[in-house]
Amino acid sequence: MSGTSEGPRAPTGTSPGALPSTVTERHRMSSPETGRGAAETADRSGADRSAADVAAELRDHRAAFNAATLPMAVVDGRGRVLRANDALGGLLGAPPAALVERQASELVDLAADDRTWQAYREVLHGLRSRFRCTRRLKHPDGRSLWAEVSVVPMTAASAAEPRRVLLSVADVSDRRELQDRLRHLQMHDPVTRLPNRTLFFERLSAALECPPYQDDSMPARHGRIGLCYLDLDGFQAVNDTLGHRVGDRLLAAVAGRLGDCAEQDATRNPGGSRLVARLGGDEFAILVEDSAGTQALTELARAVLAALQMPFDLAGRRLSVSASIGVVERPVAGTSPTGLMQAADTTLYWAKADGKARWTLFDPERNAHRMTRQALSSTLRPAVERGEFTLEYQPLVGMADGVVRGVEALVRWNHPQFGTLAPNRFVQIAEEDGSIVQLGRWVLGTACRQARRWQLDHPDEPALFISVNVAVRQVWDSDLVADVARILAETGLAPGLLQLELTESAVMGSAGRPLRALQALSDMGVRIAIDDFGTGYSNLAYLSRLPVSVLKLDGAFVRGFRYDDGTHPSPADETIVEAMVQLAHRLGLTVTAECVETAGQAERLRRIGCDTGQGWLYSRAVAPERIADLITARPARD
């Protein structure tokens, strides 16, 4: 226990608990040496007393001191006991005379910590007006008691008289016991009787700030900490259907099983302590101080999972529940309570996302990916306004003559932290948070302006069409038809030179508003293409009623045409592609093959009847200037 000082520091002071002045002072006031003025003053006040009276008064005060029920001692400036009363002797189990000349600090344990010792010495030296602390002492009958120790200076008769202090000891065990009971109520959950969130974080902070002391006689410490953070799957349904009383009984039963698992784990892996806590609702935690490693912690998680999967019998009801557990294990050094809990919360989320009723171990790489997603999500909308996005263009080439017919616009994010990012790094995030509408509108406008610029810069060359990817959310959450009409009007690009690509899964399920939007765009003259055809629903019945102009075959089919990777082409892929091309042509659609990488693939696709191809064989996605070079290099067409 550390001492708590009270009041300002001062060289000397007078306390209500101080003893009376010495005989010397009393005698000085009545002796002839004090002068006639003093004698005359005494006469006027009627306080002329004899030395015998002073001595009698002093005896009375000493008698009161000895008879007092409050344990007390007079201590000199060097900390030695000058006098002790009977109450102090009874408290310490020794005659008062045996306490004289002993160090008071040893009697009541004032040297246990540096802060208390320093404050006590300051009172002895007159640098502090008073001092008070709480100490746990051993009573002669064997019981422990909490004592409040107070030290105050006593009044000195003269500057030459040695400095003394009065030490008193009050038994505050009842008050301390009440405080402990109140603290226990504040720090424990009333339903499960487990430590609550406050106590859990108190213990966690202490474990991370103050590693356990170790000496040669103790087993080796690992310097690691482990945490199993869990919640019950579907607990809310129990509360909603059976009521909170049954829910509370279930929580208490779960707490009991968690405690058993922690005790068994301590037997298997002795060393650090385990703390089982209820953090709120149906969330629990098992903190393992001085963890033996990841394997030991995952064994605990498995045991908890198995224990909770066993049915619970509660007041005639049999309930079955499961739990999802996030497991985090790491060195104490460099770990903060906030960092550990964030990792545990993330890992618990993974366990639930992966299917519940399981434990999941924290994965730094997976977490880094999650953090990257969060960083991208939080900065995606402002990035459009800051102009961090650019477009690159990949040629769409006629399979029969090798002439560039059009280009597909592919967006890139020049991120200030992560560098240049391809669409697969951020488009899904944009679709999830809705920023794809703003981004898609920017891509559409930029691509159409660029297509028109090429047309104006090369008036003698056939105009290239521009193909732009459109997310299904753009169709639902914005007026895509109005956006396209406005952009075409602003740029002067002919509707027939714009191709909008939607994924197969988005187009095949179109009905209502999306279908009306696609039809309006088609009526406007805009071409509609189905991207990645063959990997989604492949419901051919939709092709007869959707305003589709182009099918883009997924690259997975084209890759099956390779010879140069040591494998034979897939006959099935070739048959499927040939059938899709023939079907598309009979429906009046053109076909584009994606991911064309070799001349052999291109030749086989040309023989099958594909109209255009796209891939690294022709060109990667490049800057607009490179497309301008391709336009001027195209062979003349009849």
Side-chain angles (χ1 to χ4, degrees), residues 586-601:
R586 289 186 179 182
L587 293 174
L589 310 178
T590 60
V591 179
T592 298
E594 298 179 305
C595 300
V596 181
E597 298 177 355
T598 69
Q601 288 175 318

Side-chain angles (χ1 to χ4, degrees), residues 88-320:
L88 183 62
L91 176 69
L92 301 178
L99 303 178
V100 176
E101 296 297 323
R102 292 188 60 180
Q103 285 290 328
S105 60
E106 296 177 357
L107 299 178
V108 289
D109 196 26
L110 295 182
D113 61 84
D114 293 340
R115 184 179 176 186
T116 301
W117 174 248
Q118 179 65 25
Y120 169 63
R121 297 292 294 173
E122 288 175 358
V123 177
L124 292 182
H125 296 157
L127 302 176
R128 184 187 289 262
S129 63
R130 65 182 61 208
F131 162 69
R132 179 181 297 167
C133 70
T134 304
R135 280 288 176 267
R136 191 166 191 171
L137 304 179
K138 195 78 170 180
H139 196 276
D141 62 9
R143 64 184 175 89
S144 295
L145 61 90
W146 287 99
E148 186 177 82
V149 180
S150 299
V151 182
V152 295
M154 295 174 60
T155 303
S158 67
E161 183 174 293
R163 184 176 290 107
R164 298 171 303 162
V165 299
L166 180 68
L167 180 146
S168 61
V169 183
D171 187 346
V172 294
S173 299
D174 291 342
R175 186 175 72 190
R176 184 59 183 250
E177 184 180 350
L178 177 60
Q179 291 174 343
D180 290 344
R181 285 202 298 267
L182 291 175
R183 174 176 167 79
H184 186 274
L185 292 175
Q186 293 172 347
M187 295 294 185
H188 287 76
D189 171 53
V191 174
T192 62
R193 302 186 184 276
L194 291 177
N196 62 14
R197 190 179 192 89
T198 302
L199 181 53
F200 170 80
F201 276 99
E202 186 177 287
R203 282 280 299 273
L204 175 60
S205 299
L208 293 176
E209 292 173 3
C210 302
Y213 173 77
Q214 179 178 343
D215 59 29
D216 295 339
S217 64
M218 299 173 63
R221 299 286 188 183
H222 303 96
R224 302 184 68 84
I225 193 164
L227 178 62
C228 291
Y229 181 39
L230 65 132
D231 74 1
L232 303 181
D233 301 325
F235 175 75
Q236 188 60 45
V238 175
N239 269 346
D240 293 342
T241 58
L242 302 179
H244 288 277
R245 179 175 297 181
V246 175
D248 287 349
R249 289 179 179 176
L250 176 60
L251 292 175
V254 167
R257 293 191 185 180
L258 294 180
D260 293 341
C261 290
E263 290 181 5
Q264 294 167 7
D265 183 67
T267 302
R268 291 192 303 267
N269 302 290
S273 62
R274 278 100 177 131
L275 175 71
V276 181
R278 182 190 178 197
L279 303 187
D282 60 336
E283 296 179 3
F284 295 85
I286 303 179
L287 180 67
V288 180
E289 299 180 34
D290 192 35
S291 169
T294 300
Q295 182 175 352
L297 195 63
T298 54
E299 288 176 358
L300 172 59
R302 289 191 187 95
V304 168
L305 207 60
L308 297 184
Q309 287 176 339
M310 297 175 62
F312 291 85
D313 291 316
L314 303 174
R317 297 179 182 273
R318 170 160 285 205
L319 298 178
S320 295

Side-chain angles (χ1 to χ4, degrees), residues 376 388-392 410-426:
L376 295 179
E388 294 179 3
F389 291 93
T390 58
L391 292 184
E392 292 182 346
L410 300 171
V411 63
R412 303 286 188 262
W413 186 358
N414 297 320
H415 196 281
Q417 179 181 355
F418 303 113
T420 302
L421 303 179
N424 61 350
R425 294 288 303 277
F426 59 86

Side-chain angles (χ1 to χ4, degrees), residues 329-491:
E329 204 274 348
R330 57 181 53 176
V332 170
T335 298
S336 67
T338 301
L340 186 68
M341 291 308 299
Q342 285 178 343
D345 186 65
T346 297
T347 312
L348 175 59
Y349 171 80
W350 293 342
K352 286 191 168 296
D354 292 343
K356 302 182 180 180
R358 68 190 64 220
W359 60 267
T360 300
L361 183 65
F362 180 77
D363 181 359
E365 183 175 345
R366 184 175 181 180
N367 186 59
H369 178 70
R370 179 187 68 89
M371 296 296 289
T372 300
R373 280 182 59 90
Q374 289 181 345
L376 295 179
S377 178
S378 63
T379 58
L380 208 157
R381 290 179 184 271
V384 179
E385 301 172 359
R386 290 194 297 262
E388 294 179 3
F389 291 93
T390 58
L391 292 184
E392 292 182 346
Y393 302 89
Q394 188 172 31
L396 295 162
V397 179
M399 303 287 304
D401 54 14
V403 175
V404 177
R405 303 292 176 81
V407 293
E408 179 180 354
L410 300 171
V411 63
R412 303 286 188 262
W413 186 358
N414 297 320
H415 196 281
Q417 179 181 355
F418 303 113
T420 302
L421 303 179
N424 61 350
R425 294 288 303 277
F426 59 86
V427 166
Q428 183 179 357
I429 300 173
E431 290 180 351
E432 291 172 358
D433 67 12
S435 59
I436 191 64
V437 173
Q438 179 186 11
L439 178 59
R441 190 178 291 122
W442 176 86
V443 170
L444 183 63
T446 303
C448 289
R449 279 190 293 273
Q450 182 60 65
R452 179 59 173 162
R453 189 173 300 117
W454 286 323
Q455 187 179 18
L456 295 175
D457 291 345
H458 306 279
D460 297 331
E461 300 291 337
L464 297 179
F465 70 85
I466 186 78
S467 188
V468 179
N469 290 279
V470 176
V472 67
R473 190 159 183 173
Q474 289 178 258
V475 183
W476 278 104
D477 295 354
S478 68
D479 192 342
L480 182 61
V481 177
D483 288 342
V484 170
R486 176 182 53 81
I487 291 171
L488 291 177
E490 290 175 355
T491 60

